[in-house]
Amino acid sequence: MLVSAILVAILAIISQWWFFAPATRCMTYPLTTGLLVGIAMGNPMLGMLAGANIQLVYLGWINTGGVMPSNTMVAGIYGTALTILSGANPKLAVTFAIPFSLLGLLMVQIYQTINSFWVHKADKALENGKIEQIRFLNYVPSFIISAIVYGIPAFLLVLLGKNWATGMVKIIPQNLTIALEVVGGIMPALGIAMLLNYLGKRSLVPYFFIGFFLTAYLKLEIMAVAIFSALIAYLIFEATKQKKVEKVQKKTVRRLTLNNRTGENIQSESNSLGDNGTTEISAADYKVKLTKSDLIKTWLWEQSDEATYNYERLQALGLTNMMIHSIKKLYPNDRQKQAQELKKYMVFFNTEPHMIGPVIHGIALSMEEARANGAAVTADDINGVRTGLMGPAAGIGDTVQQGIIFPILASIGCSMALEHNFLGPIFFTVIFEMLIYSIGYWMFMYGYKKGKKSVLSILKSGILDKVTNAFSIVGLMVVGTMAATRVTIQSPLIWRVGQSTIKLQSILNKLAPGILPLAITCLVWYLLKKKVNATWIIVGIFIVGILFSYLGIFGIK
């Protein structure tokens, strides 16, 4: 058990200490960590099932702007560990995980508050020209704090918790155990409803119901619905793109001028002036240049931009660490100049870091390169562009990554996992990371190549709205399937009238298969739209689930 406790503690540490995103990104998701905790504790199947059940609750929990509505990292690792220790039904994992997730919010506050101290240490290090200390401050102190706040409690839980965990489960009455399973059967409705609240544009909501009834009536598997929805989304995307082309063609106006006597369509030629009216230096004339290797190294260092994530300046220290290699290359043999240039990155900064956000850092690199070669680019210019773009990049990145790509892949992964298929969490983790980091790499290089106009050109094209709508269609249909299969509530209520027996569930099935899970999901969605706090909804689900179970109104499929 000692080895298991150490391994689980390591998982808990790196779930918050984001020292290298490709290795730590999916540690925030119970679907991934559930399997890893299960392997560490010698019961991978139970770990995977517990993690998948926990993940269903958090399908729609989206962290934006440094705000964490619930700590899914603690919920997944601690909740799974307690489920394995107690040997409980994996459906009970949700009831174990939710209290841990709320406790985890306090742990996050402690961790990110203490991390603010290292930012000031970094300021002082740059004042003294000690660039190497930036690397140390970005990694080592935050690791120690994560080990204390996250690792030690996880270690003690696994090492000492078996006896009291099994004892706790044994003293729970059978009726209460069944009631808690009912709560677990209802709880996925919250994650699904949160996604509906996030993705549910009025024009796209019908796709959720299409996905639901395709599964409820035709018994289609989630992968079939995903493929079917992707084809529909592609057709709609192509149709809207074609309409835009036709619209633009209709609006084309030919004007006769002294320089255009035939009225032919012409494009204005770009001049050699920058945005401020000064002549730009051609990249071909640069005396010092960044190579492809330099760009790749900088992109890799960028994956540590949240290693010391803190409340005061969020990603600032990590991004200063990211720029060290390139700044040294641009200003060789001048440590004071290097330190001076790095100071501009020690300001508040926060954006989506992995997929869309890297375009900002690519743009900053192109501006740094021009600045080092004598172009009229000031430190304020660079930070002005960075600050202006971090909001739009975060809005796009968080929406596409957390609100669309994640729930689609996690829904498929959870469904596979709950069917006892180990490929579920593996599929989710591998495909999710391949998508976001390949896109992130391309955006980084695109930002460097195109400069500060790159994001504006993407936004003005309108292509992102169409892509987002297409992915939303897939997401809504897949989520509809999840509502039909993973909100596992039915009614065992029976009335006897004379010699006749009336079963409520049979009546509901005649109205529409799965109408009870659908009604519960829509009710939770309605409460979210009315701005009811998700924590209160969780409390309500516990109360209603336990009460209705004891009254014989709700049961598990």
Side-chain angles (χ1 to χ4, degrees):
M1 192 58 71
L2 177 62
V3 174
S4 295
I6 293 172
L7 293 175
V8 173
I10 292 172
L11 291 174
I13 291 169
I14 63 177
S15 73
Q16 179 61 67
W17 180 55
W18 301 326
F19 67 96
F20 185 66
T24 61
R25 180 66 182 90
C26 285
M27 292 295 177
T28 61
Y29 297 126
L31 179 58
T32 299
T33 55
L35 176 58
L36 294 176
V37 169
I39 293 171
M41 297 182 67
N43 196 337
M45 180 57 72
L46 181 55
M48 178 181 70
L49 293 173
N53 276 289
I54 295 169
Q55 185 67 79
L56 290 176
V57 181
Y58 298 105
L59 278 178
W61 295 76
I62 297 173
N63 303 327
T64 57
V67 177
M68 184 176 288
S70 188
N71 195 322
T72 58
M73 300 165 290
V74 172
I77 293 174
Y78 285 57
T80 300
L82 189 57
T83 303
I84 295 173
L85 286 171
S86 63
N89 187 315
K91 290 183 178 180
L92 289 177
V94 172
T95 60
F96 296 149
I98 288 175
F100 279 125
S101 74
L102 299 177
L103 175 63
L105 292 178
L106 175 61
M107 298 164 81
V108 167
Q109 291 172 356
I110 294 171
Y111 177 74
Q112 295 187 11
T113 298
I114 295 176
N115 275 347
S116 299
F117 289 101
W118 322 131
V119 175
H120 297 283
K121 292 287 186 180
D123 287 336
K124 188 174 181 180
L126 289 176
E127 284 291 340
N128 296 326
K130 297 178 180 179
I131 296 173
E132 291 74 13
Q133 286 191 16
I134 300 300
R135 295 242 192 265
F136 175 87
L137 290 168
N138 191 55
Y139 295 106
V140 178
S142 56
F143 167 77
I144 295 172
I145 301 305
S146 184
I148 294 171
V149 175
Y150 290 89
I152 291 176
F155 175 82
L156 295 175
L157 173 66
V158 176
L159 187 66
L160 306 175
K162 184 173 179 59
N163 290 334
W164 67 262
T166 54
M168 178 185 67
V169 171
K170 287 180 180 178
I171 64 173
I172 298 176
Q174 181 65 26
N175 287 343
L176 181 56
T177 300
I178 294 172
L180 291 175
E181 290 180 3
V182 169
V183 171
I186 298 173
M187 203 62 75
L190 175 58
I192 293 167
M194 293 185 80
L195 278 174
L196 286 172
N197 200 41
Y198 193 74
L199 299 175
K201 295 181 181 178
R202 184 183 297 271
S203 60
L204 299 179
V205 167
Y207 290 103
F208 165 75
F209 293 98
I210 292 172
F212 181 91
F213 287 114
L214 281 175
T215 299
Y217 279 102
L218 303 180
K219 308 300 180 185
L220 292 182
E221 298 289 339
I222 190 168
M223 189 61 76
V225 173
I227 295 170
F228 184 56
S229 61
L231 293 173
I232 292 176
Y234 175 75
L235 292 174
I236 293 174
F237 174 78
E238 286 296 321
T240 54
K241 188 169 69 172
Q242 183 61 33
K243 285 182 180 178
K244 183 179 179 181
V245 171
E246 293 174 356
K247 188 175 181 181
V248 170
Q249 289 175 344
K250 288 180 180 179
K251 286 187 175 181
T252 300
V253 177
R254 296 181 177 182
R255 292 184 173 88
L256 299 177
T257 68
L258 291 175
N259 295 324
N260 182 18
R261 299 175 185 273
T262 63
E264 294 179 359
N265 298 325
I266 60 173
Q267 294 181 344
S268 61
E269 296 180 1
S270 59
N271 56 38
S272 60
L273 296 180
D275 292 346
N276 57 5
T278 60
T279 303
E280 294 180 348
I281 299 174
S282 171
D285 298 327
Y286 284 179
K287 295 179 180 179
V288 56
K289 295 182 180 180
L290 296 173
T291 65
K292 184 66 173 290
S293 175
D294 294 326
L295 297 176
I296 292 173
K297 287 177 182 177
T298 305
W299 177 74
L300 289 172
W301 282 114
E302 190 263 336
Q303 305 310 315
S304 301
D305 65 344
E306 293 184 320
T308 311
Y309 200 74
N310 61 88
Y311 282 130
E312 184 175 329
R313 300 187 213 172
L314 299 179
Q315 298 168 355
L317 181 53
L319 294 177
T320 305
N321 176 70
M322 172 195 74
M323 292 300 296
I324 289 175
H325 174 80
S326 294
I327 292 295
K328 282 185 173 181
K329 181 70 178 289
L330 293 172
Y331 302 97
N333 305 317
D334 190 344
R335 295 183 62 81
Q336 289 303 318
K337 180 64 173 176
Q338 293 167 5
Q340 184 67 32
E341 293 298 325
L342 286 171
K343 285 181 183 179
K344 74 172 79 73
Y345 293 94
M346 286 299 301
V347 298
F348 176 92
F349 190 90
N350 192 51
T351 194
E352 184 280 311
H354 307 307
M355 194 173 73
I356 304 299
V359 73
I360 301 174
H361 313 315
I363 294 168
L365 271 183
S366 71
M367 297 178 73
E368 287 285 7
E369 191 177 42
R371 174 176 165 85
N373 283 278
V377 178
T378 67
D380 288 341
D381 290 336
I382 295 174
N383 271 341
V385 170
R386 293 173 69 237
T387 303
L389 292 177
M390 71 180 184
I396 297 167
D398 288 334
T399 298
V400 176
Q401 182 189 145
Q402 296 188 64
I404 298 174
I405 295 177
F406 161 70
I408 292 172
L409 296 177
S411 297
I412 295 172
C414 283
S415 293
M416 295 171 68
L418 293 172
E419 292 171 359
H420 296 74
N421 188 341
F422 284 112
L423 287 178
I426 296 172
F427 164 84
F428 160 71
T429 303
V430 172
I431 301 301
F432 180 73
E433 294 214 356
M434 284 179 61
L435 276 175
I436 64 173
Y437 291 112
S438 59
I439 294 172
Y441 175 82
W442 183 85
M443 291 296 291
F444 181 90
M445 296 301 177
Y446 183 81
Y448 171 77
K449 182 179 179 181
K450 298 294 184 181
K452 60 185 177 180
K453 295 181 180 179
S454 57
V455 172
L456 295 177
S457 66
I458 294 173
L459 292 174
K460 289 179 180 179
S461 69
I463 192 69
L464 282 173
D465 288 336
K466 295 178 179 62
V467 171
T468 299
N469 281 342
F471 274 106
S472 295
I473 290 169
V474 178
L476 286 167
M477 290 184 68
V478 168
V479 167
T481 298
M482 295 298 293
T485 57
R486 299 307 169 193
V487 182
T488 54
I489 292 299
Q490 64 180 7
S491 178
L493 196 61
I494 298 175
W495 293 289
R496 289 182 173 84
V497 181
Q499 299 298 317
S500 301
T501 299
I502 301 174
K503 296 182 179 180
L504 177 59
Q505 189 61 48
S506 297
I507 297 173
L508 295 175
N509 288 339
K510 289 179 180 177
L511 292 174
I515 194 171
L516 185 57
L518 180 61
I520 291 172
T521 302
C522 290
L523 174 60
V524 176
W525 182 22
Y526 172 79
L527 293 174
L528 290 172
K529 289 178 74 68
K530 291 297 181 181
K531 308 300 182 183
V532 177
N533 189 284
T535 302
W536 287 113
I537 295 176
I538 290 173
V539 173
I541 289 174
F542 267 94
I543 294 172
V544 171
I546 292 172
L547 179 63
F548 278 33
S549 176
Y550 272 96
L551 294 175
I553 299 174
F554 281 175
I556 295 291
K557 290 182 182 179

